Amino acid sequence: ARPALRREASRRSLAAMPGTTPDGAVGKVVGFLTLLAVLPVFSLSLPLSFMFGSPSVWGFGEKYRPSFSFTWSKFMTESVMGCTLTLVGNRTLHKDGRCVYLCNHRAWADFFVDMYLTEGRAFILSRYLVVYVFPLFAVPAMAVGAVFAFKRNKPGQHDELNKQLDDHMARFPDFSGLVVYPEGTRNIRPKALPLRRGLIKYTWSRQLDVQIIIAADKEHVLSQKRGSASFGVEIPVGYSEVISAKKFRGDFEGFFKEVVKTWDEQWDAVYDSRTKETRPHHPKAQLVEYDTRALVVLLGSVGCMCALVALVVAAAAARFL
C-alpha cells in the first residue's frame, strides 16, 4: 500500500500550487527575472527586516523583544516573497526543551521558511559557501548565532563538528534547537532521498528530541537550482510527533529506523495534502533579551546598509552629472 501511496503523492506534488511560476518558456523567463530581482533584496534582507519587518526589533524600552531570527524569517517569507503557510494535521512546533528539527532541503528558500516554521528558536546549519555569497546576511546572522556555517570534507570532521555544535548551543542559549537537513543535499524531486546518519547520530548521542518538519513547494519560492523565484506560493507544512532519543538508549539502529519511518509518514502526509483540507498557519514570535552583541549587530548592519546605499547613489549621481 505504501508504494502506491508514494506514487500517488508524487503525482500530486508535480501539480503547481497557487503562486508558483508556470511551466513552459514564459514561466522560465518570468521566474529567472524574478530571481534576479529578489537576490539583491535577499542579500540585504537582514538590515531590511530590522527597518521594515514586523514585529519590530526597535523597542528599546522593552525588556523582551522579538528574536532577530523570527523577524527576519517572517519578513522574507511573508513580506518579500508573499508566501502563505497551511498546516497539515493538528500538530505544531515542539517547544519543550532541546530539539533537533529535521527538515526537507529544497532550495535557498529553506533558510527563511524553515527558520520561520521553527519560530526563530532554531539555528540553521549551512555550508560556509553562504558566507561568501551573501556576506551582508551571513556575517551578522552568524554573530548572533542564527547561522552555524561549517566546511565539508575535512579530516575528522564529525567529532570536531559535534563539539562545535555543543559549544554553539551553550554560547547561544536563546536557540533551543537546530535545523538539520538529513538528506544531505538539495532535493527537488517528489520523493525524499535516503537519510544520512551523521547528525541523526549526533542527536541520539546527546539524547535530544527530534521533530520532523516537511514543507512542500519551497523550491518554487527561491531556488538557485531551478534558476527561478515566485511570489505568493502556498506552502503546506506538517509537524511530526516528537521522537525522544531517551527511549532508545544504547540502540541507535532502533532510533534511526523510527526517524526514517516517521520521516516517510510525514513526507507522504504533506505531499498528499493537495486533496485534503488544511488551515492557515501563523508561527508565533519568540521573545528574547537583547545583549550587547545583538545591539551591535542591529545598529551596525543597518548603518552598513545605509552607507552602501549612499555610496551607490553617490556613484550613480557622479556618473550622470
Side-chain angles (χ1 to χ4, degrees), residues 204 206-209 243-249 255:
W204 172 78
R206 270 52 175 183
Q207 295 291 281
L208 302 174
D209 290 336
I243 304 170
S244 174
K246 294 182 177 66
K247 295 181 179 179
F248 296 88
R249 292 183 186 274
F255 176 70

Side-chain angles (χ1 to χ4, degrees), residues 146-222:
V147 171
F148 177 91
F150 65 96
K151 296 181 179 179
R152 280 183 170 179
N153 302 322
K154 291 176 59 180
Q157 180 192 23
H158 290 298
D159 291 339
E160 180 183 347
L161 178 62
N162 291 349
K163 182 181 183 305
Q164 290 173 349
L165 286 173
D166 291 339
D167 294 343
H168 190 92
M169 295 183 80
R171 185 183 179 192
F172 299 101
D174 286 336
F175 294 98
S176 57
L178 62 151
V179 170
V180 171
Y181 298 105
E183 293 172 282
T185 188
R186 289 179 293 273
N187 168 36
I188 60 175
R189 301 171 186 172
K191 293 180 63 176
L193 299 176
L195 304 189
R196 298 187 179 182
R197 292 170 171 253
L199 285 168
I200 296 177
K201 193 162 189 177
Y202 166 83
T203 304
W204 172 78
S205 69
R206 270 52 175 183
Q207 295 291 281
L208 302 174
D209 290 336
V210 169
Q211 186 175 42
I212 293 159
I213 304 175
I214 301 295
D217 298 312
K218 293 183 291 184
E219 68 273 18
H220 292 289
V221 179
L222 178 62

Side-chain angles (χ1 to χ4, degrees), residues 12-317:
R12 288 190 182 115
S13 70
L14 295 176
M17 292 294 289
T20 56
T21 302
D23 292 330
V26 174
K28 290 181 179 180
V29 171
V30 171
F32 181 68
L33 293 176
T34 305
L35 177 67
L36 294 180
V38 168
L39 285 180
V41 177
F42 182 55
S43 64
L44 295 172
S45 58
L46 194 62
L48 286 173
S49 72
F50 293 160
M51 296 179 68
F52 305 110
S54 175
S56 173
V57 298
W58 294 98
F60 286 105
E62 300 175 9
K63 183 176 181 180
Y64 297 100
R65 286 180 266 174
S67 68
F68 290 169
S69 300
F70 182 85
T71 294
W72 170 75
S73 59
K74 181 182 180 183
F75 173 75
M76 279 300 303
T77 303
E78 294 187 354
S79 301
V80 176
M81 301 310 302
C83 299
T84 56
L85 306 177
T86 59
L87 186 64
V88 178
N90 297 316
R91 288 184 292 265
T92 55
L93 184 70
H94 175 62
K95 308 176 188 178
D96 186 13
R98 298 283 187 184
C99 186
V100 174
Y101 303 101
L102 303 182
C103 299
N104 56 324
H105 198 8
R106 308 295 284 186
W108 277 344
D110 295 348
F111 281 110
F112 49 86
V113 172
D114 294 335
M115 192 171 283
Y116 189 35
L117 293 176
T118 57
E119 301 181 356
R121 297 172 181 271
F123 61 89
I124 302 280
L125 270 69
S126 170
R127 292 176 62 184
Y128 218 90
L129 179 64
V130 71
V131 180
Y132 304 120
V133 178
F134 300 111
L136 293 178
F137 157 72
V139 172
M142 290 172 63
V144 295
V147 171
F148 177 91
F150 65 96
K151 296 181 179 179
R152 280 183 170 179
N153 302 322
K154 291 176 59 180
Q157 180 192 23
H158 290 298
D159 291 339
E160 180 183 347
L161 178 62
N162 291 349
K163 182 181 183 305
Q164 290 173 349
L165 286 173
D166 291 339
D167 294 343
H168 190 92
M169 295 183 80
R171 185 183 179 192
F172 299 101
D174 286 336
F175 294 98
S176 57
L178 62 151
V179 170
V180 171
Y181 298 105
E183 293 172 282
T185 188
R186 289 179 293 273
N187 168 36
I188 60 175
R189 301 171 186 172
K191 293 180 63 176
L193 299 176
L195 304 189
R196 298 187 179 182
R197 292 170 171 253
L199 285 168
I200 296 177
K201 193 162 189 177
Y202 166 83
T203 304
W204 172 78
S205 69
R206 270 52 175 183
Q207 295 291 281
L208 302 174
D209 290 336
V210 169
Q211 186 175 42
I212 293 159
I213 304 175
I214 301 295
D217 298 312
K218 293 183 291 184
E219 68 273 18
H220 292 289
V221 179
L222 178 62
S223 172
Q224 80 289 2
K225 200 165 189 176
R226 297 178 73 243
S228 71
S230 182
F231 296 96
V233 177
E234 182 179 310
I235 302 175
V237 55
Y239 297 84
S240 78
E241 60 187 11
V242 176
I243 304 170
S244 174
K246 294 182 177 66
K247 295 181 179 179
F248 296 88
R249 292 183 186 274
D251 183 15
F252 171 70
E253 291 302 323
F255 176 70
F256 184 74
K257 288 179 181 177
E258 184 66 20
V259 168
V260 171
K261 172 177 169 288
T262 306
W263 174 277
D264 289 342
E265 291 173 349
Q266 198 60 44
W267 184 286
D268 289 342
V270 171
Y271 279 88
D272 192 40
S273 66
R274 304 291 195 264
T275 60
K276 299 178 181 178
E277 286 191 13
T278 56
R279 56 191 173 94
H281 180 48
H282 302 286
K284 298 180 180 179
Q286 179 196 24
L287 300 180
V288 299
E289 288 190 73
Y290 287 16
D291 57 13
T292 302
R293 182 192 298 113
L295 293 175
V296 169
V297 168
L298 174 61
L299 299 175
S301 59
V302 171
C304 287
M305 187 191 69
C306 292
L308 178 62
V309 171
L311 286 173
V312 171
V313 170

